[in-house]
Amino acid sequence: MAPKEQSGLQREPLVSEPALERAERLANLLASTVENSDDVIVSKNLDGIITSWNRAAERIFGYSAAEAIGQPITLVIPEDRQSEEREILTRIRRGERIDHFETVRRRKDGSSIVVSLTISPVKDAHGNIIGASKIARDITEHERAQEQISVLAREAEHRSKNILANVQAIINLSQSDTCERLKEVISGRIQAMANVHSLFVEARWTGAEVSAIAKQELAPYLQESHDKRIVMEGLQTVLEPTAAQAIAVVLHELATNAAKYGALSNAKGRIALTWSRTEDGQVIFRWTELGGPKVNAPERKGFGSRLIEGTIRPLGGKVLFDWRAEGLICEIAVPT
């Protein structure tokens, strides 16, 4: 029997040409997106062997694609974290997705980075799991920033407690005949602490330089005339915050006392402030008053003297008062 005439029939293509072009464009777009991503995007098979390696992986881990592909993914896993890979492969075989898993990975040069991993199973056309796709983001700087925030928070807590303890000590040691005068005394001493804290901020809480502290606390008396009533001399010396805060309060107290009863209470008095560092790491301050009214040694310690001693001695420092007729000499040793 002769075959039927087929000339009037044409077979339709299984996939139209435009659909093939779209699929090809989408594939190229996906490949370009993966290759140019800022995040590491790699794939591996179920044996943990690397099958793809994008440019970000080259940049962050230091291995070229040629060096990495075909190697086990443990290439970038530190020795003490090898067990993570076994657990990851077990979960991937079960079809699980692992989101935002933070861990440590190793660069080619041996250095470590902190990464956030997202790992997804890769399936073939029949739905069988054949491997995994990993996206890794370098969060090393983020972790450092978080650690720095934690350190600063702990430091701020410590400083706050220290400030409150000092304020409490100032209040306990301050007395006066009237409420207004007591308010003035306490306010002046607390202001001395506030002044030095502005220096801490400028130095990012590393401390404060001695001459800067002295100039702040003695500023009202440095501007009184063209004559140098206060002479300061010493090498550049930075005190850590606790010691700097104590010295600020002490200088305020000495200057206040000098303005009331000592060298700054008349037009001719002068003050010499010197400081130096000893071989054992202490900073020695020497406050010398000259030209003021005749000084009589007090029969008992005043509130100012007690405050100075109560501020310095908890630091392990020492205070010596020499009430000479020609003027007070106060020597202070502060450990650093």
Side-chain angles (χ1 to χ4, degrees):
M1 181 182 290
K4 291 183 179 179
E5 184 62 48
Q6 299 290 329
S7 61
L9 298 175
Q10 289 187 350
R11 246 177 160 178
E12 291 292 329
L14 293 177
V15 181
S16 66
E17 191 65 27
L20 287 172
E21 291 177 0
R22 284 198 301 273
E24 186 176 353
R25 284 200 305 272
L26 287 173
N28 290 337
L29 177 62
L30 177 60
S32 176
T33 300
V34 170
E35 190 63 16
N36 295 293
S37 172
D38 288 333
D39 292 333
V40 170
I41 302 178
V42 302
S43 58
K44 63 183 180 183
N45 62 24
L46 290 179
D47 293 322
I49 302 301
I50 298 167
T51 55
S52 71
W53 189 262
N54 72 343
R55 290 177 186 172
E58 292 184 325
R59 184 181 70 254
I60 291 175
F61 289 118
Y63 294 98
S64 68
E67 291 175 303
I69 293 174
Q71 297 295 318
I73 194 67
T74 52
L75 180 72
V76 295
I77 301 179
E79 294 298 326
D80 61 346
R81 292 180 180 265
Q82 297 284 320
S83 61
E84 291 180 359
E85 177 61 12
R86 293 191 291 271
E87 182 181 347
I88 288 170
L89 286 174
T90 298
R91 294 177 64 180
I92 288 297
R93 290 189 183 101
R94 293 200 299 260
E96 294 182 28
R97 174 185 166 92
I98 302 168
D99 279 321
H100 306 301
F101 171 55
E102 292 188 8
T103 186
V104 176
R105 290 296 179 255
R106 180 180 58 205
R107 295 188 178 98
K108 184 178 181 179
D109 64 8
S111 61
S112 297
I113 59 171
V114 183
V115 297
S116 175
L117 297 177
T118 297
I119 310 165
S120 304
V122 174
K123 299 179 181 180
D124 63 13
H126 303 290
N128 299 314
I129 297 171
I130 58 173
S133 172
K134 285 190 176 186
I135 299 175
R137 175 164 294 177
D138 183 357
I139 59 171
T140 306
E141 291 304 318
H142 173 74
E143 289 295 303
R144 286 175 182 164
Q146 289 297 113
E147 178 60 25
Q148 187 175 25
I149 289 171
S150 297
V151 169
L152 290 174
R154 291 193 295 270
E155 180 71 10
E157 180 184 16
H158 170 72
R159 296 298 169 200
S160 298
K161 289 179 178 178
N162 188 43
I163 291 168
L164 292 174
N166 280 316
V167 169
Q168 186 176 24
I170 286 171
I171 293 172
N172 290 339
L173 290 170
S174 298
Q175 293 188 18
S176 186
D177 296 334
T178 66
C179 290
E180 284 302 313
R181 179 57 186 151
L182 179 60
K183 178 180 176 182
E184 181 183 336
V185 169
I186 293 175
S187 177
R189 290 167 178 170
I190 292 177
Q191 185 60 50
M193 293 174 58
N195 290 342
V196 78
H197 274 257
S198 66
L199 298 178
F200 296 161
V201 173
E202 292 175 8
R204 297 189 177 184
W205 285 87
T206 58
E209 206 276 319
V210 170
S211 64
I213 300 172
K215 287 175 183 176
Q216 273 195 344
E217 297 309 322
L218 302 177
Y221 315 105
L222 295 173
Q223 306 299 326
E224 283 189 355
S225 68
H226 296 293
D227 296 328
K228 290 188 176 181
R229 300 196 65 189
I230 299 177
V231 177
M232 296 182 288
E233 184 179 359
L235 296 176
Q236 185 175 38
T237 304
V238 177
L239 298 178
E240 56 87 22
T242 302
Q245 185 173 272
I247 290 301
V249 172
V250 167
L251 291 180
H252 169 80
E253 205 61 35
L254 289 171
T256 300
N257 183 75
K260 288 181 182 178
Y261 314 111
L264 297 178
S265 65
N266 64 19
K268 296 181 180 180
R270 283 174 166 68
I271 291 173
L273 173 63
T274 62
W275 60 89
S276 60
R277 189 183 292 273
T278 63
E279 290 183 0
D280 62 357
Q282 292 191 98
V283 178
I284 306 296
F285 294 86
R286 187 178 177 86
W287 172 280
T288 304
E289 297 186 26
L290 294 168
K294 183 179 178 181
V295 174
N296 295 315
E299 295 180 1
R300 58 185 178 84
K301 288 182 181 178
F303 299 115
S305 299
R306 288 163 52 196
L307 177 64
I308 291 172
E309 291 179 343
T311 301
I312 296 299
R313 285 181 177 165
L315 303 179
K318 297 179 181 179
V319 180
L320 175 65
F321 294 101
D322 183 3
W323 301 96
R324 302 180 309 160
E326 56 270 31
L328 168 67
I329 294 179
C330 180
E331 192 169 283
I332 298 167
V334 179
T336 60

